[in-house]
PDB file of all heavy atoms in Angstrom:
ATOM      1  N   ASP A  54      83.419  72.971 165.004  1.00  0.00           N
ATOM      2  CA  ASP A  54      83.192  73.679 163.754  1.00  0.00           C
ATOM      3  C   ASP A  54      84.420  73.642 162.843  1.00  0.00           C
ATOM      4  O   ASP A  54      85.477  74.173 163.187  1.00  0.00           O
ATOM      5  CB  ASP A  54      82.828  75.136 164.096  1.00  0.00           C
ATOM      6  CG  ASP A  54      82.582  75.981 162.867  1.00  0.00           C
ATOM      7  OD1 ASP A  54      82.391  75.402 161.779  1.00  0.00           O
ATOM      8  OD2 ASP A  54      82.605  77.224 162.996  1.00  0.00           O
ATOM      9  N   PHE A  55      84.266  73.039 161.668  1.00  0.00           N
ATOM     10  CA  PHE A  55      85.359  73.016 160.678  1.00  0.00           C
ATOM     11  C   PHE A  55      85.083  73.977 159.524  1.00  0.00           C
ATOM     12  O   PHE A  55      85.775  73.940 158.511  1.00  0.00           O
ATOM     13  CB  PHE A  55      85.527  71.587 160.116  1.00  0.00           C
ATOM     14  CG  PHE A  55      86.291  70.677 161.030  1.00  0.00           C
ATOM     15  CD1 PHE A  55      85.618  69.813 161.882  1.00  0.00           C
ATOM     16  CD2 PHE A  55      87.667  70.688 161.080  1.00  0.00           C
ATOM     17  CE1 PHE A  55      86.306  68.965 162.743  1.00  0.00           C
ATOM     18  CE2 PHE A  55      88.380  69.848 161.934  1.00  0.00           C
ATOM     19  CZ  PHE A  55      87.694  68.986 162.769  1.00  0.00           C
ATOM     20  N   VAL A  56      84.036  74.842 159.702  1.00  0.00           N
ATOM     21  CA  VAL A  56      83.765  75.828 158.653  1.00  0.00           C
ATOM     22  C   VAL A  56      84.331  77.194 159.059  1.00  0.00           C
ATOM     23  O   VAL A  56      84.836  77.954 158.239  1.00  0.00           O
ATOM     24  CB  VAL A  56      82.245  75.895 158.367  1.00  0.00           C
ATOM     25  CG1 VAL A  56      81.933  76.943 157.302  1.00  0.00           C
ATOM     26  CG2 VAL A  56      81.737  74.525 157.935  1.00  0.00           C
ATOM     27  N   LEU A  57      84.244  77.473 160.389  1.00  0.00           N
ATOM     28  CA  LEU A  57      84.865  78.682 160.959  1.00  0.00           C
ATOM     29  C   LEU A  57      84.461  79.942 160.194  1.00  0.00           C
ATOM     30  O   LEU A  57      85.317  80.758 159.793  1.00  0.00           O
ATOM     31  CB  LEU A  57      86.384  78.515 161.000  1.00  0.00           C
ATOM     32  CG  LEU A  57      86.897  77.459 161.988  1.00  0.00           C
ATOM     33  CD1 LEU A  57      88.420  77.371 161.929  1.00  0.00           C
ATOM     34  CD2 LEU A  57      86.443  77.712 163.417  1.00  0.00           C
ATOM     35  N   THR A  58      83.154  80.072 159.985  1.00  0.00           N
ATOM     36  CA  THR A  58      82.535  81.167 159.241  1.00  0.00           C
ATOM     37  C   THR A  58      83.234  81.365 157.887  1.00  0.00           C
ATOM     38  O   THR A  58      83.467  82.493 157.448  1.00  0.00           O
ATOM     39  CB  THR A  58      82.433  82.484 160.083  1.00  0.00           C
ATOM     40  OG1 THR A  58      81.882  83.487 159.295  1.00  0.00           O
ATOM     41  CG2 THR A  58      83.761  82.921 160.668  1.00  0.00           C
ATOM     42  N   TRP A  59      83.603  80.214 157.265  1.00  0.00           N
ATOM     43  CA  TRP A  59      84.214  80.163 155.918  1.00  0.00           C
ATOM     44  C   TRP A  59      85.611  80.762 155.910  1.00  0.00           C
ATOM     45  O   TRP A  59      86.076  81.277 154.901  1.00  0.00           O
ATOM     46  CB  TRP A  59      83.299  80.824 154.883  1.00  0.00           C
ATOM     47  CG  TRP A  59      81.941  80.185 154.866  1.00  0.00           C
ATOM     48  CD1 TRP A  59      80.797  80.678 155.422  1.00  0.00           C
ATOM     49  CD2 TRP A  59      81.592  78.897 154.336  1.00  0.00           C
ATOM     50  NE1 TRP A  59      79.766  79.797 155.261  1.00  0.00           N
ATOM     51  CE2 TRP A  59      80.230  78.694 154.596  1.00  0.00           C
ATOM     52  CE3 TRP A  59      82.307  77.912 153.656  1.00  0.00           C
ATOM     53  CZ2 TRP A  59      79.559  77.541 154.206  1.00  0.00           C
ATOM     54  CZ3 TRP A  59      81.641  76.749 153.270  1.00  0.00           C
ATOM     55  CH2 TRP A  59      80.287  76.577 153.533  1.00  0.00           C
ATOM     56  N   GLY A  60      86.286  80.751 157.049  1.00  0.00           N
ATOM     57  CA  GLY A  60      87.702  81.092 157.051  1.00  0.00           C
ATOM     58  C   GLY A  60      88.171  82.124 158.062  1.00  0.00           C
ATOM     59  O   GLY A  60      89.274  81.995 158.598  1.00  0.00           O
ATOM     60  N   PRO A  61      87.405  83.162 158.349  1.00  0.00           N
ATOM     61  CA  PRO A  61      87.923  84.232 159.231  1.00  0.00           C
ATOM     62  C   PRO A  61      88.407  83.772 160.612  1.00  0.00           C
ATOM     63  O   PRO A  61      89.396  84.293 161.115  1.00  0.00           O
ATOM     64  CB  PRO A  61      86.737  85.187 159.364  1.00  0.00           C
ATOM     65  CG  PRO A  61      85.953  84.989 158.106  1.00  0.00           C
ATOM     66  CD  PRO A  61      86.106  83.533 157.764  1.00  0.00           C
ATOM     67  N   ALA A  62      87.760  82.779 161.207  1.00  0.00           N
ATOM     68  CA  ALA A  62      88.004  82.492 162.638  1.00  0.00           C
ATOM     69  C   ALA A  62      89.244  81.620 162.856  1.00  0.00           C
ATOM     70  O   ALA A  62      89.185  80.549 163.454  1.00  0.00           O
ATOM     71  CB  ALA A  62      86.777  81.824 163.256  1.00  0.00           C
ATOM     72  N   ILE A  63      90.398  82.093 162.426  1.00  0.00           N
ATOM     73  CA  ILE A  63      91.637  81.300 162.544  1.00  0.00           C
ATOM     74  C   ILE A  63      92.064  81.157 164.003  1.00  0.00           C
ATOM     75  O   ILE A  63      92.802  80.238 164.359  1.00  0.00           O
ATOM     76  CB  ILE A  63      92.766  81.928 161.680  1.00  0.00           C
ATOM     77  CG1 ILE A  63      93.931  80.937 161.507  1.00  0.00           C
ATOM     78  CG2 ILE A  63      93.223  83.258 162.261  1.00  0.00           C
ATOM     79  CD1 ILE A  63      94.922  81.312 160.423  1.00  0.00           C
ATOM     80  N   HIS A  64      91.592  82.083 164.882  1.00  0.00           N
ATOM     81  CA  HIS A  64      91.880  81.949 166.332  1.00  0.00           C
ATOM     82  C   HIS A  64      90.721  81.260 167.055  1.00  0.00           C
ATOM     83  O   HIS A  64      90.704  81.206 168.279  1.00  0.00           O
ATOM     84  CB  HIS A  64      92.086  83.341 166.943  1.00  0.00           C
ATOM     85  CG  HIS A  64      93.209  84.118 166.327  1.00  0.00           C
ATOM     86  ND1 HIS A  64      94.527  83.711 166.361  1.00  0.00           N
ATOM     87  CD2 HIS A  64      93.213  85.295 165.643  1.00  0.00           C
ATOM     88  CE1 HIS A  64      95.276  84.593 165.733  1.00  0.00           C
ATOM     89  NE2 HIS A  64      94.514  85.558 165.274  1.00  0.00           N
ATOM     90  N   GLY A  65      89.753  80.784 166.287  1.00  0.00           N
ATOM     91  CA  GLY A  65      88.521  80.273 166.909  1.00  0.00           C
ATOM     92  C   GLY A  65      87.517  81.418 167.014  1.00  0.00           C
ATOM     93  O   GLY A  65      87.841  82.584 166.767  1.00  0.00           O
ATOM     94  N   HIS A  66      86.296  81.048 167.392  1.00  0.00           N
ATOM     95  CA  HIS A  66      85.221  82.054 167.463  1.00  0.00           C
ATOM     96  C   HIS A  66      85.338  82.909 168.716  1.00  0.00           C
ATOM     97  O   HIS A  66      85.841  82.455 169.742  1.00  0.00           O
ATOM     98  CB  HIS A  66      83.869  81.339 167.492  1.00  0.00           C
ATOM     99  CG  HIS A  66      83.508  80.664 166.210  1.00  0.00           C
ATOM    100  ND1 HIS A  66      83.176  81.341 165.062  1.00  0.00           N
ATOM    101  CD2 HIS A  66      83.445  79.341 165.878  1.00  0.00           C
ATOM    102  CE1 HIS A  66      82.904  80.483 164.096  1.00  0.00           C
ATOM    103  NE2 HIS A  66      83.055  79.264 164.557  1.00  0.00           N
ATOM    104  N   ASN A  67      84.844  84.142 168.614  1.00  0.00           N
ATOM    105  CA  ASN A  67      84.688  85.021 169.777  1.00  0.00           C
ATOM    106  C   ASN A  67      86.002  85.162 170.538  1.00  0.00           C
ATOM    107  O   ASN A  67      86.030  85.153 171.771  1.00  0.00           O
ATOM    108  CB  ASN A  67      83.597  84.439 170.706  1.00  0.00           C
ATOM    109  CG  ASN A  67      82.975  85.542 171.565  1.00  0.00           C
ATOM    110  OD1 ASN A  67      83.186  86.734 171.313  1.00  0.00           O
ATOM    111  ND2 ASN A  67      82.257  85.140 172.599  1.00  0.00           N
ATOM    112  N   ASP A  68      87.077  85.338 169.781  1.00  0.00           N
ATOM    113  CA  ASP A  68      88.397  85.460 170.404  1.00  0.00           C
ATOM    114  C   ASP A  68      88.431  86.668 171.345  1.00  0.00           C
ATOM    115  O   ASP A  68      88.014  87.769 170.959  1.00  0.00           O
ATOM    116  CB  ASP A  68      89.457  85.628 169.295  1.00  0.00           C
ATOM    117  CG  ASP A  68      90.828  85.868 169.878  1.00  0.00           C
ATOM    118  OD1 ASP A  68      91.477  84.884 170.263  1.00  0.00           O
ATOM    119  OD2 ASP A  68      91.221  87.062 169.999  1.00  0.00           O
ATOM    120  N   PRO A  69      88.899  86.506 172.574  1.00  0.00           N
ATOM    121  CA  PRO A  69      88.837  87.604 173.555  1.00  0.00           C
ATOM    122  C   PRO A  69      89.617  88.853 173.136  1.00  0.00           C
ATOM    123  O   PRO A  69      89.175  89.981 173.376  1.00  0.00           O
ATOM    124  CB  PRO A  69      89.426  86.984 174.828  1.00  0.00           C
ATOM    125  CG  PRO A  69      90.042  85.686 174.428  1.00  0.00           C
ATOM    126  CD  PRO A  69      89.385  85.248 173.171  1.00  0.00           C
ATOM    127  N   ASP A  70      90.748  88.656 172.451  1.00  0.00           N
ATOM    128  CA  ASP A  70      91.534  89.840 172.033  1.00  0.00           C
ATOM    129  C   ASP A  70      90.802  90.619 170.940  1.00  0.00           C
ATOM    130  O   ASP A  70      90.809  91.848 170.912  1.00  0.00           O
ATOM    131  CB  ASP A  70      92.918  89.392 171.535  1.00  0.00           C
ATOM    132  CG  ASP A  70      93.739  88.748 172.648  1.00  0.00           C
ATOM    133  OD1 ASP A  70      93.650  89.245 173.807  1.00  0.00           O
ATOM    134  OD2 ASP A  70      94.403  87.734 172.394  1.00  0.00           O
ATOM    135  N   ILE A  71      90.183  89.877 170.034  1.00  0.00           N
ATOM    136  CA  ILE A  71      89.431  90.543 168.954  1.00  0.00           C
ATOM    137  C   ILE A  71      88.197  91.235 169.535  1.00  0.00           C
ATOM    138  O   ILE A  71      87.901  92.390 169.214  1.00  0.00           O
ATOM    139  CB  ILE A  71      89.034  89.525 167.863  1.00  0.00           C
ATOM    140  CG1 ILE A  71      90.282  88.966 167.166  1.00  0.00           C
ATOM    141  CG2 ILE A  71      88.083  90.163 166.847  1.00  0.00           C
ATOM    142  CD1 ILE A  71      90.008  87.845 166.179  1.00  0.00           C
ATOM    143  N   ARG A  72      87.543  90.546 170.462  1.00  0.00           N
ATOM    144  CA  ARG A  72      86.355  91.129 171.098  1.00  0.00           C
ATOM    145  C   ARG A  72      86.713  92.423 171.837  1.00  0.00           C
ATOM    146  O   ARG A  72      86.030  93.440 171.711  1.00  0.00           O
ATOM    147  CB  ARG A  72      85.745  90.105 172.065  1.00  0.00           C
ATOM    148  CG  ARG A  72      84.313  90.435 172.469  1.00  0.00           C
ATOM    149  CD  ARG A  72      83.652  89.277 173.213  1.00  0.00           C
ATOM    150  NE  ARG A  72      84.333  88.991 174.473  1.00  0.00           N
ATOM    151  CZ  ARG A  72      84.910  87.822 174.758  1.00  0.00           C
ATOM    152  NH1 ARG A  72      84.914  86.841 173.871  1.00  0.00           N
ATOM    153  NH2 ARG A  72      85.507  87.630 175.912  1.00  0.00           N
ATOM    154  N   GLN A  73      87.812  92.408 172.540  1.00  0.00           N
ATOM    155  CA  GLN A  73      88.255  93.595 173.291  1.00  0.00           C
ATOM    156  C   GLN A  73      88.564  94.748 172.331  1.00  0.00           C
ATOM    157  O   GLN A  73      88.194  95.905 172.567  1.00  0.00           O
ATOM    158  CB  GLN A  73      89.486  93.252 174.127  1.00  0.00           C
ATOM    159  CG  GLN A  73      90.000  94.373 175.019  1.00  0.00           C
ATOM    160  CD  GLN A  73      88.932  94.928 175.960  1.00  0.00           C
ATOM    161  OE1 GLN A  73      88.064  94.197 176.434  1.00  0.00           O
ATOM    162  NE2 GLN A  73      88.992  96.227 176.202  1.00  0.00           N
ATOM    163  N   ALA A  74      89.206  94.417 171.203  1.00  0.00           N
ATOM    164  CA  ALA A  74      89.557  95.460 170.224  1.00  0.00           C
ATOM    165  C   ALA A  74      88.300  96.105 169.644  1.00  0.00           C
ATOM    166  O   ALA A  74      88.233  97.328 169.478  1.00  0.00           O
ATOM    167  CB  ALA A  74      90.400  94.849 169.107  1.00  0.00           C
ATOM    168  N   ILE A  75      87.282  95.279 169.384  1.00  0.00           N
ATOM    169  CA  ILE A  75      86.021  95.825 168.845  1.00  0.00           C
ATOM    170  C   ILE A  75      85.353  96.721 169.890  1.00  0.00           C
ATOM    171  O   ILE A  75      84.887  97.824 169.582  1.00  0.00           O
ATOM    172  CB  ILE A  75      85.081  94.679 168.416  1.00  0.00           C
ATOM    173  CG1 ILE A  75      85.690  93.885 167.262  1.00  0.00           C
ATOM    174  CG2 ILE A  75      83.708  95.235 168.011  1.00  0.00           C
ATOM    175  CD1 ILE A  75      84.935  92.596 166.922  1.00  0.00           C
ATOM    176  N   LYS A  76      85.362  96.246 171.143  1.00  0.00           N
ATOM    177  CA  LYS A  76      84.747  97.022 172.231  1.00  0.00           C
ATOM    178  C   LYS A  76      85.375  98.407 172.330  1.00  0.00           C
ATOM    179  O   LYS A  76      84.696  99.436 172.416  1.00  0.00           O
ATOM    180  CB  LYS A  76      84.940  96.306 173.572  1.00  0.00           C
ATOM    181  CG  LYS A  76      83.864  95.287 173.927  1.00  0.00           C
ATOM    182  CD  LYS A  76      84.144  94.707 175.317  1.00  0.00           C
ATOM    183  CE  LYS A  76      83.195  93.582 175.689  1.00  0.00           C
ATOM    184  NZ  LYS A  76      83.681  92.841 176.885  1.00  0.00           N
TER     185      LYS A  76
END
Side-chain angles (χ1 to χ4, degrees):
D54 179 16
F55 280 97
V56 178
L57 292 179
T58 178
W59 303 103
I63 194 166
H64 301 298
H66 291 290
N67 204 12
D68 176 82
D70 296 322
I71 295 174
R72 197 169 63 241
Q73 183 55 34
I75 296 171
K76 272 183 186 167

